[in-house]
Amino acid sequence: QMAKQVIFQKVREGITPGLQIWRSEKFLVLRKDTPLPSRCVKCNGPQHGNKIQRKLFWHPPWIYVLIPAGLLVYAIVATVIGKRAAVDLPLCVEHRRLRRRDLLITWLLILLCLGAFGYAIAAGSGWWALVGLSLLFAAAIYGGLRTTIVGPKRIDDNFVWLKGVGPEFLGP
């Protein structure tokens, strides 16, 4: 039944059934076990080095309504209902360099945060604890936004919809 729905959806989108990778609007859709071509997922340039393996997790957005009931309830339901997929992402030289830079900045912010917390304890200063907390938030936001290569838009039993793939990789 579900496979039939997927095939009909593909036909409605003008896709030949049996394809392993295709574009659906601004998303890349692929079978869970399908490797991506050796082209950068951001700019479609030639792959440099090994692919970067990412384990993705997705759950339906309605599960967020459980957060007021408690984070533990939300976490349990999300874990049980959520879907997982592993994808190997190719990157070019430039996007690997940008990713390394962003990882370095994130780790520097974390180290500065720890230093500020340590100084706050040693000096007994609440001001430095606030600086440390601000640096922690900065590291989380910067790292979350800048180091994520692609993210799941949706995952089901057979397919993964990826967001964040460059328009050049998606093609016309």
Side-chain angles (χ1 to χ4, degrees), residues 36-48 51 89-92 169:
L36 290 172
S38 296
R39 310 293 299 166
C40 177
V41 294
K42 293 296 187 180
C43 68
N44 206 34
Q47 173 185 331
H48 177 75
K51 293 180 179 180
L89 303 169
L91 289 178
C92 66
F169 187 85

Side-chain angles (χ1 to χ4, degrees), residues 61-78 81:
W62 66 263
I63 292 179
Y64 290 116
V65 301
L66 297 175
I67 291 176
L71 287 177
L72 183 61
V73 172
Y74 160 77
I76 291 170
V77 173
I81 293 179

Side-chain angles (χ1 to χ4, degrees), residues 81-97:
I81 293 179
K83 302 287 184 181
R84 289 169 176 72
V87 293
D88 293 331
L89 303 169
L91 289 178
C92 66
V93 172
E94 179 64 14
H95 284 102
R96 275 186 185 275
R97 186 189 65 74

Side-chain angles (χ1 to χ4, degrees), residues 28 30 34-42 45-56 85-92 95-96 99 147-152 160-166 169:
L28 181 71
L30 63 141
T34 302
L36 290 172
S38 296
R39 310 293 299 166
C40 177
V41 294
K42 293 296 187 180
Q47 173 185 331
H48 177 75
N50 294 331
K51 293 180 179 180
I52 298 171
Q53 186 179 59
R54 285 289 158 258
K55 294 181 181 181
L56 305 175
V87 293
D88 293 331
L89 303 169
L91 289 178
C92 66
H95 284 102
R96 275 186 185 275
R99 182 170 178 276
T147 64
T148 300
I149 302 170
V150 298
V160 180
W161 285 254
L162 294 176
K163 59 184 175 182
V165 176
F169 187 85

